[in-house]
Amino acid sequence: MCADTTFQACPLQEALPLDGMWMMLEPATTPAGAADLMCASPRARKVLLDEVTPHRTFSDLVAPSSASISRQLLLDAIRGEGRTYRQPVEYAHPHGTVICMTSARRLDMRGAGPPALLVEIEEEEQGEWLHWEALRSMTVLADHSLWVYDEEADRFSWLDGERLYNGMGPGDRMPLAELFDRVHAEDVARVRDAFWALRRGETQQVDVDFRMPDEQGRLHWLRTLARLVRFGFDGGRRVVGTTTNTTAAVERHQTLVKAHADAQRRVDLVQQLAAAFVGAATEDELTAAILNRVAPAFGGTGTLLAFVEEGRLRVTFGDGIDPALARSLHGLPLDAPKPLTEAIRTGRPLFIATRDDYRRSWPQAHSLLDATSASSFIMIPLRGQGAAPLGGWVVTFDRPHDLSPQERTLVGVMADVAGQAWERIRLQSARTELAATVQRNLLPATLPTVTGYEVEARYSPAHQGLDVGGDWYDVIALPDGSTACIIGDVQGHNVQAAALMGQIRTAMHAYAWQEPAPDRVLARTNDLMLQMRLPVFATCLYVLLTPEGEALTARAGHVPLVHAAQDGARVRECPGGLPLGVLARSEFPVHAMELAPGDVLALVTDGLVEGPRLPVDDGLADVCAATDRHREGPLGKLADVLMAQDDSLTGHVDDRAVLVVRRQDGQRG
């Protein structure tokens, strides 16, 4: 070892250059890729080492971002039998990170000892960069365009990669102001602020999205990543960055956001209409719900409703319907060859996108077109449980309108729910049965696939007279890859509780999509309930799962969750907040836990663990025992076991819900 010796004392000195930057290293046995400094050139000592150089390793000189690549460079060199290997390496320096192309090769010591490594550092020469081909190739392979900005010369240079818009591409150079002129006017300030924050040292790197028009004026989305570095120890500062065309990704994201908004609108429609149908105790209430809510929800202009009485149609209609259309259908026999009567007879909705479609399909029923200027129609039956036709309604559109498959499915759902409402109004039992139907429909029909987790849920209504409740659960796959698992209970056991449960669940779903932090979702839902002056309160337990196994939880007056791990199951009794809808500006503490592969979380409502005969601590202890016994078995069986508790154990009949989650270990499906 000669870390403190002079240049002349180094082995193989006749084979080494007298100037430049180089070091000789002695490879270490462990860890792989480690090497001790033997000696160095005067230039290397001056810029990288202290005046009196202590014993140190090559890794001491390298910036953390290049630790892995530098170890691999030395490994390749020691195994390479004299072949030279080269990589760009970042070196730690008092004035900031410095990038230099670095080469390494093995030197056989010719009897003077074991093989050594010669490391040479190439520096900037005459303002041009050496060996940028490797960096450019890596950047281009990643579909990035590479550029550099020289602060002193105020010169933005495009080095390599895809040619972007307004003619910018490899070899082009321009002042920074000219580049800013090509950015969309609404984005210039954001790009300029980010760029200057980097140059002033207020941030280490920039990640900014912006738009740029092409020669035809079409806007394209771009993303730029940039950082500030020096090339060579005596070189000037440069801003180096990559730019990627993200238009396709942005458009995909916008499509997903629109699809989510459309899905949310459909969910809202189901909840609003179902709640209205559930709350309808008379024909007039049901009629008002159909006439006032259906057409706007589908973007239509008017709704006409017809009930079947003694084989004929009795028609009523709302705003947007031509009175002549109502007159042409009122009193029509059920066997008349008209699209509305066919929909009522068959129980199948009919979708007529244009007036021409109507003429082709109904050549002998043109009187309907003569009575209205509408361009498109939906004929929706009231589908009841019995065989006798109940009636139906027409939604009109002032322009051609072809419903999406999701909207057509929703029309069928509305036909079922409205028909059941009318049928049960007649039987004086609509409030009880439809409340249960709404409650089931407002729960997720299927659970989403959750990366890294298995999820199962169960729900059971009370079913005792009007004793229907507001228990619910939800599993929401979020855009950032995390998943929200929610379980809750709205106060009360009546139709109103079931309807309000749907409103609260919808609000939490929307809030979680926008800002999934548990405390924020609960706080915003609490504020909404107080603002709406809902005459109920709700308890809730919210768990945010990350693919890495972290769980963030918050409670609003709800029973705590059970966590089953390899060493057993226990109740996670963490402090929580008040129930939702009780006190303004309530706080909901967030608690974090790590889930190992195979760990199970059990979320339950109080109907399963608490009652006149069962203290909640005893009920949760039973959940712990069951979860521990079935932790490694099929998750669906665990959910069934938890739901199988007899009502006699709690001492009352109540609705109940269970949501169980298990982190996968890579061996499960």
Side-chain angles (χ1 to χ4, degrees):
M1 303 295 297
C2 56
D4 294 319
T5 60
T6 63
F7 164 68
Q8 288 75 14
C10 289
L12 299 181
Q13 56 181 329
E14 68 278 3
L16 301 176
L18 296 176
D19 55 6
M21 291 186 65
W22 56 263
M23 289 172 279
M24 286 189 64
L25 309 176
E26 180 181 40
T29 304
T30 57
D36 294 325
L37 179 65
M38 297 174 64
C39 57
S41 69
R43 171 68 173 155
R45 288 179 176 274
K46 177 180 178 182
V47 298
L48 283 175
L49 305 175
D50 300 328
E51 287 292 335
V52 178
T53 306
H55 172 74
R56 62 196 307 176
T57 65
F58 181 66
S59 60
D60 295 330
L61 310 178
V62 175
S65 56
S66 284
S68 297
I69 196 171
S70 63
R71 284 196 299 268
Q72 189 61 47
L73 174 66
L74 300 186
L75 279 173
D76 291 341
I78 197 63
R79 298 166 180 167
E81 298 181 352
R83 179 181 172 185
T84 299
Y85 294 84
R86 304 170 68 250
Q87 286 287 358
V89 173
E90 293 185 86
Y91 291 90
H93 192 265
H95 300 298
T97 300
V98 178
I99 299 176
C100 292
M101 188 62 71
T102 301
S103 63
R105 62 187 175 93
R106 191 178 78 180
L107 293 177
D108 293 321
M109 303 304 288
R110 294 177 297 187
L117 290 172
L118 175 62
V119 173
E120 295 184 86
I121 301 173
E122 304 169 19
E123 296 192 87
E124 183 183 56
E125 292 182 0
Q126 299 178 354
E128 298 296 331
W129 298 284
L130 301 176
H131 309 296
W132 266 89
E133 290 79 7
L135 291 177
R136 295 183 184 183
S137 297
M138 288 186 288
T139 303
V140 173
L141 285 174
D143 291 328
H144 291 255
S145 296
L146 182 65
W147 53 264
V148 65
Y149 174 68
D150 185 332
E151 289 187 304
E152 294 182 2
D154 185 25
R155 184 178 60 194
F156 182 93
S157 302
W158 213 265
L159 299 180
D160 213 332
E162 179 185 0
R163 177 171 289 275
L164 295 179
Y165 305 105
N166 281 323
M168 289 195 306
D172 292 337
R173 298 180 178 184
M174 65 187 67
L176 189 60
E178 181 179 342
L179 176 67
F180 286 156
D181 287 342
R182 303 190 183 198
V183 176
H184 189 274
E186 295 178 3
D187 301 335
V188 170
R190 184 174 68 256
V191 176
R192 183 185 290 112
D193 290 346
F195 199 83
W196 278 103
L198 180 68
R199 296 178 67 183
R200 288 193 297 262
E202 297 170 2
T203 182
Q204 296 297 313
Q205 64 181 36
V206 161
D207 182 350
V208 62
D209 295 290
F210 59 96
R211 291 164 293 175
M212 183 175 286
D214 60 19
E215 291 84 348
Q216 287 73 42
R218 294 189 300 266
L219 287 178
H220 300 265
W221 278 98
L222 306 176
R223 165 166 285 185
T224 282
L225 303 175
R227 62 178 298 192
L228 189 65
V229 297
R230 288 193 301 127
F231 291 91
F233 291 94
D234 295 325
R237 297 199 319 174
R238 306 287 195 277
V239 178
V240 177
T242 62
T243 298
T244 311
N245 183 350
T246 59
T247 303
V250 170
E251 290 176 348
R252 283 196 300 271
H253 175 72
Q254 292 172 342
T255 299
L256 289 174
V257 170
K258 182 180 183 301
H260 175 74
D262 291 343
Q264 187 62 52
R265 182 179 62 83
R266 290 191 293 270
V267 169
D268 292 342
L269 171 63
V270 171
Q271 293 170 342
Q272 293 168 9
L273 291 180
F277 295 161
V278 166
T282 66
E283 177 187 324
D284 288 344
E285 291 178 1
L286 179 62
T287 298
I290 293 174
L291 295 182
N292 297 330
R293 294 176 180 268
V294 175
F298 286 99
T301 54
T303 305
L304 176 148
L305 178 61
F307 293 108
V308 176
E309 292 183 350
E310 298 180 355
R312 292 183 177 274
L313 302 186
R314 176 171 58 83
V315 173
T316 184
F317 59 97
D319 295 338
I321 293 293
D322 294 322
L325 176 60
R327 288 194 297 270
S328 72
L329 296 175
H330 184 70
L332 198 67
L334 191 58
D335 58 359
K338 302 282 187 178
L340 178 58
T341 52
E342 178 175 315
I344 294 173
R345 288 195 309 270
T346 63
R348 294 192 298 270
L350 294 177
F351 307 95
I352 304 171
T354 67
R355 292 174 72 91
D356 288 341
D357 289 344
Y358 184 96
R359 291 189 180 93
R360 284 192 295 269
S361 301
W362 303 93
Q364 298 177 346
H366 286 178
S367 60
L368 184 145
L369 291 183
D370 296 336
T372 180
S373 61
S375 297
S376 185
F377 310 88
I378 312 174
M379 311 290 179
I380 308 171
L382 290 168
R383 297 195 296 213
Q385 300 298 317
L390 302 177
W393 71 88
V394 181
V395 178
T396 62
F397 300 83
D398 61 2
R399 63 186 62 187
H401 184 79
D402 192 7
L403 271 68
S404 68
Q406 294 84 359
E407 289 175 316
R408 293 182 180 228
T409 299
L410 189 54
V411 166
V413 173
M414 291 299 97
D416 291 335
V417 176
Q420 292 171 19
W422 171 235
E423 192 173 58
R424 289 163 186 165
I425 284 172
R426 286 169 144 181
L427 299 174
Q428 299 299 311
S429 62
R431 298 182 72 85
T432 299
E433 295 183 35
L434 280 178
T437 300
V438 170
Q439 196 170 30
R440 288 192 299 270
N441 287 343
L442 294 182
L443 293 174
T446 59
L447 297 179
T449 299
V450 180
T451 302
Y453 296 88
E454 299 173 73
V455 183
E456 290 282 349
R458 300 289 186 270
Y459 168 76
S460 176
H463 287 313
Q464 184 177 12
L466 292 179
D467 192 26
V468 294
D471 284 18
W472 90 92
Y473 62 84
D474 208 351
V475 178
I476 311 167
L478 300 171
D480 63 356
S482 62
T483 302
C485 294
I486 308 172
I487 195 164
D489 183 4
V490 175
Q491 170 204 15
H493 295 84
N494 51 36
V495 175
Q496 187 181 46
L500 292 176
M501 174 271 285
Q503 293 178 286
I504 295 171
R505 174 178 169 262
T506 300
M508 296 191 75
H509 196 115
Y511 291 152
W513 185 268
Q514 296 171 355
E515 186 178 3
D519 53 341
R520 291 292 302 140
V521 173
L522 293 181
R524 294 179 71 182
T525 305
N526 182 64
D527 292 343
L528 177 66
M529 292 178 66
L530 291 171
Q531 181 183 4
M532 295 176 65
R533 298 183 179 178
L534 298 181
V536 297
F537 64 81
T539 68
C540 183
L541 173 59
Y542 183 110
V543 180
L544 183 65
L545 302 172
T546 69
E548 295 78 20
E550 184 181 26
L552 301 177
T553 72
R555 284 193 301 141
H558 202 81
V559 293
L561 61 81
V562 168
H563 177 201
Q566 188 173 7
D567 58 354
R570 61 192 178 97
V571 178
R572 287 281 191 167
E573 185 70 57
C574 299
L578 293 173
L580 303 174
V582 173
L583 182 66
R585 294 185 293 278
S586 292
E587 295 183 354
F588 306 93
V590 176
H591 304 278
M593 67 180 76
E594 295 293 330
L595 302 181
D599 281 13
V600 172
L601 299 181
L603 289 66
V604 301
T605 54
D606 61 359
L608 191 143
V609 296
E610 186 178 20
R613 299 178 188 170
L614 183 67
V616 65
D617 290 342
D618 294 346
L620 287 172
D622 293 340
V623 173
C624 283
T627 306
D628 191 43
R629 287 196 307 271
H630 297 278
R631 183 178 69 88
E632 297 182 354
L635 199 62
K637 182 177 180 180
L638 170 59
D640 292 336
V641 168
L642 294 176
M643 287 294 291
Q645 181 170 260
D646 195 314
D647 290 331
S648 62
L649 184 62
T650 60
H652 70 157
V653 177
D654 197 1
D655 51 341
R656 57 183 65 168
V658 166
L659 182 61
V660 287
V661 181
R662 177 165 53 204
R663 187 181 179 198
Q664 293 177 318
D665 57 10
Q667 315 234 334
R668 303 180 192 271

